[in-house]
Amino acid sequence: MNLFNQALLRLKPALDHISVSDEFLEVIRTPERVVQVAIKIKMDNGRIRVFDGYRAVHSTLLGPAKGGIRFHPSVDESEVKSLAFWMAIKCAVAGLPYGGGKGGVKVNTKDLSIGELERLSRGYVRALWKYLGEDEDIPAPDMYTNPKIMAWMTDEYCVLKGRKELGVFTGKPVSFGGSLGRSEATGMGGFYVLQTIQKMTALPRSGARIAIQGLGNVGGSFGRIAAKEGHVIVAVSDSTSALYREEGFDIDAILAYKETFGSLRPVEYKNSELVEVDAKKITHEELLTLDVDILVPAAVEDSITEHIARDVKSKVIIELANGPVTAAADQILEEKGVIVVPDVLANSGGVTVSYLEWVQNRMGMYWTEKEVNEELKKKMVAATEEVWEFSKNRNCSLRTAAYSTALMKLYRAFEECK
Ligand code: NAD
């Protein structure tokens, strides 16, 4: 089964809890638009090369499409279609006035010089700009794209359009219309989700023991704020190693070391110097099955498999990565009573601050980081409470509740304009 049909399967459990018409189902199962383009760019050696580019829009029932652009060898039509579908669900769960979109280029960026990367980014926009726009389809960074690439793309778009329209891309550098707080937003949003869940459960409000798989951008900012709020990060990992320390890690120190030396080391600050502390090396699998209060997969998809799910001991899993729990593992975790906070809710802080960036671009007025974080918190708390309530009322998992609430919002919009 291709990726897009697999993604659609996620709708099935939600349809046991809500009642929608067949005509709506037909609409919501069908992408509104998928465009494939050939992007021709001149390489540094003077030769022309052609790259496959895509942009899919799944649904614009709730507003213009929103979703990233990835530069990766795996990009194809089925991948962008399934990711656009997920964005439609995620934006609806987060209560944003957006539909879902996704795009990409089939390329390994490691093979490109910086000049070739810029020409490819601008070429993507030249091929697709007629389909993009502040009120039409608003891309953002995704795998192997970044704020610099968004700046090139926005600039190219504005040249072609003949006017400044900064809100057409989000995730831009702060000096070029980006929002303060965007780089921390996904981890920060995940923490607000956790805080909201803590109020509804017996989870400790402070001093919870947390294991984080993947101390990158998202896992690192989540770890930083969780530690600052009094929780104990007892285990961390990256693609090369995993570490455990009963007393907890100094996340700021570990991130500072990683930023400078590129690897994970058990360090802490002593008189402003980084010094090594005792920690146990564990395997990646051991990290996922530790006896902790909260497990935070923030690395890659499918890391919690059926086999691992059987040994998971944490009470709560916060899916900061996209799709870290396989469908079979999800079933086992539900039977074990583990609370799994689904990716479409847990990691929606990133797209929420992208929305706030778009709002600021269109208002022409910019907020402080504190103001951005307050807005982010309001939206994350509201989305979490809505999903939690549905799950309690209908006695279903948070994932089913998230998909159900999203589908109901899409259904209501469909019915209103029918
Ligand atoms: P990143 O590249 O900054 O960090 C990923 C980290 O995971 C790295 O430290 C890497 O070494 C580590 N890692 C990779 N494979 C691993 C493995 N098998 N075991 C342990 N660690 C491993 O990426 P990121 O931006 O932090 O994104 C992480 C996840 O969050 C991805 O699934 C991404 O799709 C999702 N996500 C990111 C955002 C965002 O705003 N960046 C938004 C929504 C979802």
Side-chain angles (χ1 to χ4, degrees), residues 202-204 290-295 312-317 337-340:
L203 267 179
L290 283 171
D291 190 2
V292 288
D293 296 308
I294 299 156
L295 174 63
V312 162
K313 295 176 202 68
S314 71
K315 301 169 190 74
V316 174
I317 295 178
V338 178
I339 298 173
V340 179

Side-chain angles (χ1 to χ4, degrees), residues 39 51 125 147 290 297-298 300 325:
I39 306 167
F51 294 89
V125 175
L290 283 171
V300 285
V325 175

Side-chain angles (χ1 to χ4, degrees), residues 67-361:
I69 296 173
R70 59 174 53 175
F71 283 179
H72 194 267
S74 73
V75 169
D76 63 15
E77 184 183 324
S78 182
E79 185 178 274
V80 293
K81 272 163 64 180
S82 63
L83 294 168
F85 162 76
W86 263 311
M87 284 308 296
I89 298 291
K90 191 184 291 190
C91 291
V93 171
L96 305 177
Y98 285 146
K102 203 73 163 198
V105 178
K106 196 179 201 53
V107 61
N108 187 346
T109 52
K110 290 180 186 128
D111 298 340
L112 302 182
S113 70
I114 188 81
E116 289 165 345
L117 185 62
E118 176 176 355
R119 293 196 288 282
L120 182 65
S121 307
R122 290 183 182 276
Y124 182 87
V125 175
R126 274 199 306 281
L128 286 160
W129 72 282
K130 288 201 172 126
Y131 301 95
L132 307 177
E134 287 183 337
D135 291 313
E136 175 89 25
D137 182 5
I138 308 142
D142 196 89
M143 278 164 73
Y144 297 98
T145 54
N146 55 32
K148 179 74 193 159
I149 291 176
M150 294 305 111
W152 286 328
M153 288 186 165
T154 308
D155 181 60
E156 190 68 26
Y157 181 85
C158 294
V159 169
L160 291 162
K161 194 87 185 183
R163 65 162 190 257
K164 274 274 182 278
E165 206 179 292
L166 292 182
V168 62
F169 288 85
T170 61
K172 301 180 293 294
V174 172
S175 50
F176 188 54
S179 177
L180 293 168
R182 175 62 185 88
S183 54
E184 301 268 291
T186 306
M188 185 82 89
F191 183 72
Y192 294 141
V193 171
L194 169 62
Q195 269 188 329
T196 314
I197 303 265
Q198 280 170 318
K199 286 193 190 139
M200 330 245 198
T201 60
L203 267 179
R205 305 264 180 106
S206 178
R209 289 159 46 79
I210 301 179
I212 302 176
Q213 182 206 33
L215 206 67
N217 170 21
V218 172
S221 51
F222 176 90
R224 198 179 257 140
I225 178 167
K228 201 165 138 232
E229 295 292 324
H231 298 297
V232 189
I233 315 298
V234 294
V236 292
S237 68
D238 68 3
S239 56
T240 57
S241 61
L243 299 168
Y244 176 81
R245 186 166 192 251
E246 182 64 27
E247 314 83 302
F249 287 107
D250 178 339
I251 297 296
D252 281 331
I254 295 197
L255 290 173
Y257 185 95
K258 195 167 155 62
E259 172 110 19
T260 314
F261 301 104
S263 61
L264 207 57
R265 278 302 267 263
V267 288
E268 69 178 18
Y269 279 113
K270 208 167 206 175
N271 302 326
S272 312
E273 296 281 314
L274 289 177
V275 293
E276 187 124 358
V277 293
D278 279 342
K280 197 173 143 198
K281 269 200 158 215
I282 55 174
T283 64
H284 288 290
E285 187 166 331
E286 278 169 336
L287 182 139
L288 297 171
T289 54
L290 283 171
D291 190 2
V292 288
D293 296 308
I294 299 156
L295 174 63
V296 182
V300 285
E301 60 187 27
D302 293 343
S303 51
I304 302 182
T305 57
E306 220 174 323
H307 157 72
I308 287 174
R310 289 199 187 90
D311 293 329
V312 162
K313 295 176 202 68
S314 71
K315 301 169 190 74
V316 174
I317 295 178
I318 312 270
E319 290 188 338
L320 287 189
N322 282 319
V325 175
T326 66
D330 211 24
Q331 184 72 39
I332 294 170
L333 293 168
E334 194 175 343
E335 282 159 18
K336 286 173 66 162
V338 178
I339 298 173
V340 179
V341 186
D343 48 6
V344 286
L345 170 64
N347 70 28
S348 64
V351 68
T352 299
V353 174
S354 269
Y355 161 65
L356 298 177
E357 176 178 337
W358 177 80
V359 169
Q360 292 171 81
N361 291 153

Side-chain angles (χ1 to χ4, degrees), residues 393-406:
N393 290 343
R394 305 299 178 95
N395 194 22
C396 65
S397 70
L398 290 177
R399 193 182 313 279
T400 300
Y403 276 76
S404 303
T405 53

